[in-house]
Amino acid sequence: MRPVLAALLLCAMSAPALAQTPPATIGQQYVPAPWWMRDPVIASIGHVRVELQANRAGFNATFQSVDRSVAEASRKAADQVRALSQTLGAYGVETVRVETSLTTQPLYDQYRDENGVLRDNTRADRIQRYQAQATVTLNIRDVRQLERIYATVVASQPNSISQVYFSLEPDNVAKSNLAREAVRDAANRARSAVEAAGGTLGAVRVIDPTGRACQTDVLAGWPSYGSGAGQATTVSEEVVVTGSRMMRAEMAPPPPPSAPAGQAPSEDQIEAARLALQPPLQVLTDTACVVYGLN
């Protein structure tokens, strides 16, 4: 009885491993077909492409201040952005999100070495001044307010301002519409192909929004197993695209009168700094695989 019980126990322990054994081995010429290919089928890939206006924008501006005291330099830099931050905050977080950071660095006494190269005397007792830099980073979520927000920052006379970048964040409705249109396009392609061949389209066997089921290795049977024959690829359907727009220096308007330090720019200064900033069109694509039976 003991040998019989040992054999039964061995079979029970090995059953999960046997159940996970792939239906094909590397190098095997013929492999079992998926269940939905036991009868004649047609696999159709639908493609959809749409252009949508970018709905996000962003840029950053920096304000610098130099003083012999690190505390005073930081205070002056903070004063430059305090009123601006309050003005931008009045738009609300659904329109623009503002992040402000403050950094300081020492400015050392300089000297020339034996080769005439100008170097910093990086010793604690050789610090001449401190430079504080306040950076305002803006993420505009309502691009209809972009021109006014950008003009407000420009009128505040920052030491530097970055280029404006644009991006598209599609909502769930747009994604659902893309997926539906991709499946519809796959159905139209399959119907047109079958009718051209003189056949009749049957029932739907598989609907795969990722398009994976229509790949060659699946239609041939099963994906290869093991590292020697390549790994299956995960396909991501969400497309995020970005763009940017730069203003040429020779086309830049003359700077508006600067606002006093610590004060928000006036309406006249904002209007004088307004520029045309039209969000560009961005491309979204999607695919879907639909497998039909043939009558």
Side-chain angles (χ1 to χ4, degrees):
M1 289 295 293
R2 290 184 179 179
V4 176
L5 292 176
L8 292 176
L9 181 60
L10 180 61
C11 292
M13 295 176 60
S14 61
L18 292 176
Q20 298 180 11
T21 301
T25 57
I26 299 175
Q28 186 175 346
Q29 184 176 5
Y30 300 105
V31 295
W35 65 267
W36 42 266
M37 289 186 62
R38 294 172 184 172
D39 300 321
V41 297
I42 178 172
S44 177
I45 300 180
H47 299 272
V48 63
R49 179 183 183 274
V50 65
E51 289 184 345
L52 298 177
Q53 179 176 284
N55 58 358
R56 297 287 188 273
F59 62 95
N60 59 69
T62 59
F63 298 80
Q64 295 179 352
S65 177
V66 177
D67 198 272
R68 293 188 178 277
S69 168
V70 62
E72 189 66 17
S74 300
R75 184 192 65 78
K76 290 180 179 179
D79 288 343
Q80 295 183 69
V81 299
R82 183 175 295 108
L84 174 62
S85 298
Q86 294 174 353
T87 301
L88 297 176
Y91 286 95
V93 295
E94 296 302 323
T95 299
V96 57
R97 295 178 181 267
V98 183
E99 296 181 8
T100 305
S101 62
L102 182 66
T103 59
T104 59
Q105 66 176 15
L107 301 179
Y108 295 97
D109 183 21
Q110 295 182 327
Y111 68 94
R112 293 188 180 277
D113 59 12
E114 61 277 7
N115 297 320
V117 178
L118 191 63
R119 299 185 182 276
D120 290 337
N121 193 356
T122 55
R123 289 169 42 187
D125 60 340
R126 304 302 294 179
I127 297 176
Q128 285 193 336
R129 289 178 175 83
Y130 292 91
Q131 176 180 284
Q133 178 172 289
T135 302
V136 180
T137 302
L138 297 94
N139 180 13
I140 293 93
R141 303 175 65 86
D142 185 357
V143 293
R144 294 173 299 182
Q145 302 292 336
L146 172 61
E147 291 185 3
R148 178 173 177 81
I149 292 174
Y150 186 85
T152 301
V153 176
V154 172
S156 299
Q157 295 293 300
N159 292 89
S160 64
I161 187 169
S162 70
Q163 67 180 26
V164 180
Y165 67 87
F166 296 95
S167 63
L168 174 62
E169 295 291 341
D171 55 18
N172 293 332
V173 174
K175 294 179 181 179
S176 298
N177 290 338
L178 281 176
R180 182 175 61 253
E181 292 301 321
V183 173
R184 184 174 299 172
D185 183 64
N188 292 335
R189 291 171 183 264
R191 187 176 300 107
S192 176
V194 172
E195 291 176 355
T200 305
L201 201 64
V204 176
R205 299 288 184 89
V206 175
I207 298 178
D208 183 7
T210 69
R212 183 70 176 81
C214 288
Q215 298 300 318
T216 303
D217 53 357
V218 176
L219 294 178
W222 291 91
S224 299
Y225 292 89
S227 59
Q231 301 293 331
T233 302
T234 301
V235 181
S236 174
E237 296 304 324
E238 182 175 354
V239 180
V240 179
V241 287
T242 60
S244 61
R245 175 174 297 185
M246 298 182 63
M247 181 180 64
R248 297 175 59 185
E250 62 269 24
M251 298 177 61
S258 59
Q263 296 184 11
S266 65
E267 286 295 325
D268 292 339
Q269 293 169 338
I270 293 175
E271 289 301 320
R274 291 194 72 140
L275 299 171
L277 295 171
Q278 183 178 3
L281 295 177
Q282 309 285 17
V283 176
L284 284 180
T285 61
D286 202 353
T287 61
C289 170
V290 182
V291 180
Y292 290 91
L294 297 178
N295 296 331

